[in-house]
Every structure is written in structure tokens, then in C-alpha cells.
Amino acid sequence: MTAAQPTGNEQIADKLKFNEKGLIPAIAQQHDSGEILMMAWMNRDAVIETLDTGRVCYFSRSRGKLWRKGESSGQIQNLVDFRYDCDQDCVLVQVDQIGVACHTGRRNCFYFAARDGKEVVISQPEVSTEELYGKK
């Protein structure tokens, strides 16, 4: 019996350079505005699932398992384009973000700015974490 040939998406995942923990940084960008939404990690399985399903999947380091963006909050990222850099050690997922991207209820995770030597919060939550996750 011969081994199954890898799919095209598996071949793409195999080109990527994962770190010693089997992870690669993934930057999520809103496809039509260019807004940077968040950074998370992917493992090989998350890359393949994202490419196979068209819905972005990450690897949760804190939970030690795949994390399908929006599975608990409903704030889904639909894949528009999957890119990787010249060194093949960082991924850019261009997405259509449904709802907010940040677990704090903000549109994106980059809401801290360094201005004149001080930390400034530059955006407020659009939705409460209670609404997102049903927690008090």
C-alpha cells in the first residue's frame, strides 16, 4: 500500500517554518480596509484547517488546542487570502471580520499606543465581554 499524497494545503503548510514549539505567528488583517486586527499563533493543523474551511483557526497556547476564531463569541474571521512572508516564518491572513476581533470587545487588539513617553488607550470596547462570552 502506498502512502497518500499530501494535499495542496498540506504542501503549503509543509513549506512554512514553524518555531521549536511547532507554531508560526499569524497576523490578521481586515481585507478591505487594511486594518491590523490581531496577532495569534497557528500550528500546522490550524493552517490546514484554515485553508480547507475558509474560516480562520488558530492554536491557543493557553488551552493547548485549536481555537476556531468566534467559536465562543460569534466573532468569526472568514478567510479572504492566506499569505506568508519571504522567510516563510510569518503568516498574514486577510479576513472578513464579523464583529470585533479582540477578546476585550474592541475592533482590534492594538489599542495601546506609546505617546510622549506614556501609554495611551486609543479605542474603547464596542461590546462588553459579558455580551461576547456570557460571563459576569
Side-chain angles (χ1 to χ4, degrees):
M1 200 171 237
T2 59
Q5 291 295 319
T7 67
N9 291 338
E10 290 170 335
Q11 290 175 357
I12 290 168
D14 289 340
K15 287 180 183 273
L16 300 176
K17 295 177 185 170
F18 297 91
N19 69 17
E20 66 282 350
K21 294 181 180 176
L23 302 174
I24 190 168
I27 299 165
Q29 179 183 43
Q30 178 63 32
H31 75 98
D32 52 359
S33 69
E35 177 185 16
I36 301 299
L37 300 170
M38 58 179 279
M39 180 274 177
W41 296 92
M42 289 182 159
N43 65 6
R44 184 178 185 276
D45 290 341
V47 168
I48 294 168
E49 181 171 320
T50 296
L51 292 169
D52 282 349
T53 67
R55 184 165 165 197
V56 181
C57 178
Y58 299 104
F59 182 81
S60 171
R61 295 177 300 163
S62 61
R63 290 177 258 173
K65 65 178 191 173
L66 292 179
W67 158 42
R68 290 152 190 93
K69 182 69 175 157
E71 66 189 344
S72 59
S73 68
Q75 313 300 299
I76 297 167
Q77 291 178 344
N78 292 311
L79 183 67
V80 174
D81 201 14
F82 186 95
R83 300 179 184 187
Y84 42 95
D85 72 337
C86 56
D87 295 323
Q88 299 171 328
D89 63 0
C90 187
V91 168
L92 173 67
V93 286
Q94 292 188 316
V95 302
D96 185 17
Q97 174 70 48
I98 308 301
V100 297
C102 186
H103 74 279
T104 65
R106 290 171 173 85
R107 174 71 184 161
N108 70 63
C109 294
F110 297 94
Y111 59 88
F112 291 111
R115 306 236 168 113
D116 298 321
K118 295 181 181 158
E119 177 184 278
V120 178
V121 175
I122 58 173
S123 70
Q124 298 303 314
E126 295 179 13
V127 61
S128 73
T129 55
E130 290 82 14
E131 289 178 75
L132 284 175
Y133 303 105
K135 296 178 184 175
K136 301 229 183 244

